[in-house]
Amino acid sequence: MGLMGLMGCSSEEERLPALASIEVRGFVAGFEEAYGANGAHGATRAWSPPGGYSLFDEADKSIGIAFTQDGKEPKMGSFFKSSGKWRTSLEEITADTYYLYGYVPYNPGVKFSIAVRNDAHANYSSGAKVTLQNVPAVMSGDLCVVIGAKDGTDAETVTGLRSGDFSYSAQAIYGSGDAGNYVFLLFDHLYAALRIKMKVHADYDALRTIKLKSLRMKTQAGETTSTTKADILVDLKGTEGESPIQSITYTPRGGAITEPLEFWSSRNGETLTTEFSNYVGHFMPQDITTLILTSVYDVYDKKGNLIRQGCMATNTMELSELFTGQKTTRRGCRYTINMTIRPTYLYMLSEPDLNDPTVTIE
């Protein structure tokens, strides 16, 4: 869920012009937690009031947004950060009431469109259908949809913010200073998350240094490999504090994933230690039963000499074997896997064993 402050312009008193100043903060509902191998399955996620949301840790991500009004064409644009300041690409936003729909993180390769629902006498004040086309099946960002909006009195204060209410009242700005329009947004997750907690075994760490370069993933529904892209249709209905999401439809797009899709990378490599480091990727969750993770890393001796470059370890993880009571992944659920890099034969070390370690699930 996100919080945004929109600043007006004294020379255009009734507009939020292109490149107007914006203050952005994000708040997101917690994931349902699921822990792999040595952990327990989390409790079912329930709707929490906006005050209970946690700070969105991807607050710098651009946001695709639509300003809508009944009987009028939507005004489509985005909020983005440039030169350390938030901006908006939207123009011609006059002082009035709007219904805001959108998603985060904004991706120029994704086609974002919006339409009224199919109900009789449907209009944007009572909900909308949000369509995202050509969405990557695996992403680094936490893909979310707007499920509520409200105008506030400042960057910290809002009254009546709740899910299912998309109304926002833009006010005219007079004079100069910090006064402005502030819009608070609530988000909900569209994808599931895989959190990898990775470390090096202590005995191996005494002999070698591992630098992680890349984490890549592909997914399967049974024996069928997922496609590289997906189209997503979210049906949103205006409600009184309940989740407005009526349905989410994921439609495969593009060819099957042949090479795993990267969701994390480090050009110089991130040194792993005997303590867990966290890495998170997000993926299209519909009917997914299997997660296939490829780790890419370099091996150094303790004098800093590169011994082996581009080691690749692939781990295939069947959901039903790792998480209690789950056969397929669910949106808004975060799956945590603990992994350790160790030599092939820990107690019978030879030089090839040191330089060709494996990644094991704990």
Side-chain angles (χ1 to χ4, degrees), residues 15-79:
R15 296 182 180 180
L16 298 176
L19 303 184
S21 296
I22 301 173
E23 180 184 346
V24 176
R25 279 185 191 174
F27 294 89
V28 64
F31 281 102
E32 176 185 345
E33 297 288 356
Y35 294 90
N38 60 351
H41 180 267
T44 300
R45 178 168 59 92
W47 175 252
S48 299
Y53 284 19
S54 61
L55 185 66
F56 188 47
D57 59 4
E58 299 181 18
D60 287 351
K61 297 291 186 180
S62 299
I63 299 169
I65 201 73
F67 277 61
T68 71
Q69 293 179 299
D70 291 346
K72 298 181 180 180
E73 286 295 316
K75 298 180 184 298
M76 313 292 291
S78 66
F79 302 124

Side-chain angles (χ1 to χ4, degrees), residues 68-183:
T68 71
Q69 293 179 299
D70 291 346
K72 298 181 180 180
E73 286 295 316
K75 298 180 184 298
M76 313 292 291
S78 66
F79 302 124
F80 60 94
K81 208 165 192 179
S82 177
S83 301
K85 295 183 178 180
W86 283 95
R87 321 275 187 176
T88 176
S89 64
L90 291 160
E91 298 182 3
E92 303 295 333
I93 304 298
T94 58
D96 208 340
T97 296
Y98 299 88
Y99 303 94
L100 304 190
Y101 300 94
Y103 77 102
V104 64
Y106 171 77
N107 182 338
V110 171
K111 182 179 179 181
F112 168 40
S113 59
I114 189 169
V116 295
R117 304 181 73 243
N118 294 332
D119 295 350
H121 309 296
N123 48 49
Y124 288 118
S125 58
S126 60
K129 287 191 172 183
V130 172
T131 299
L132 305 176
Q133 293 178 290
N134 209 38
V135 183
V138 174
M139 303 175 60
S140 60
D142 182 8
L143 185 66
C144 295
V145 65
V146 172
I147 61 166
K150 199 67 177 179
D151 48 290
T153 55
D154 58 40
E156 303 290 341
T157 308
V158 63
T159 300
L161 175 65
R162 64 180 184 267
S163 64
D165 183 352
F166 298 89
S167 62
Y168 163 65
S169 296
Q171 302 297 320
I173 303 299
Y174 297 92
S176 60
D178 294 333
N181 289 325
Y182 300 91
V183 52

Side-chain angles (χ1 to χ4, degrees), residues 184-202:
F184 290 71
L185 300 175
L186 296 178
F187 292 103
D188 199 0
H189 307 283
L190 290 178
Y191 271 20
L194 173 65
R195 178 169 61 183
I196 298 299
K197 302 181 69 173
M198 188 174 288
K199 68 177 183 178
V200 181
H201 191 280

